[in-house]
Amino acid sequence: MLISKILLLFIITAVAEILGCYLPALWLNHGKSIWLLIPAGISLAIFSWLLTLHPTASGRVYAAYGGIYIVIAILWLWQIEKITPSVWDIVGSMVTIIGTLIIILGNKFG
């Protein structure tokens, strides 16, 4: 699988997971409708299915995915929750991307 396709799959997977967790938080913490649990459950089911599409060992997929998840979560914080990321959020995200690329590229070409 091409690196760009792997990264796109990781990004879509992360959005599905974050959305599936964010919607119940809106209900529990912000008094939004309980009906948000339905799309949350669907989103988490899609997230689980997306994890099965990754073409390598599960542990390696989860390790590499973790880095992408962190970056997407920081972007979610900024774009959806309207909280500006700190310098440490950005630095930490960059470090995790380096780790993710090492895992993906090292096992692809190593």
Side-chain angles (χ1 to χ4, degrees):
M1 188 179 273
L2 296 172
I3 300 302
S4 60
K5 286 185 180 179
I6 293 170
L7 290 175
L8 181 61
L9 186 55
F10 279 155
I11 291 167
I12 294 168
T13 303
V15 170
E17 182 180 10
I18 292 169
L19 183 62
C21 296
Y22 181 70
L23 294 176
L26 288 177
W27 168 59
L28 290 169
N29 300 328
H30 301 287
K32 302 295 182 179
S33 172
I34 194 169
W35 292 103
L36 289 174
L37 297 180
I38 293 171
I42 293 168
S43 186
L44 289 173
I46 292 169
F47 158 71
S48 297
W49 172 73
L50 288 168
L51 285 177
T52 69
L53 301 180
H54 296 274
T56 189
S58 294
R60 187 172 293 136
V61 167
Y62 298 148
Y65 165 72
I68 301 299
Y69 178 87
I70 289 168
V71 171
I72 299 301
I74 296 300
L75 288 172
W76 185 280
L77 176 77
W78 179 37
Q79 294 297 309
I80 304 299
E81 297 186 50
K82 304 299 184 202
I83 298 172
T84 304
S86 71
V87 170
W88 298 113
D89 293 331
I90 295 166
V91 170
S93 295
M94 290 172 31
V95 169
T96 63
I97 287 298
I98 292 168
T100 296
L101 290 173
I102 290 169
I103 291 168
I104 292 171
L105 296 175
N107 285 294
K108 177 92 172 148
F109 301 110

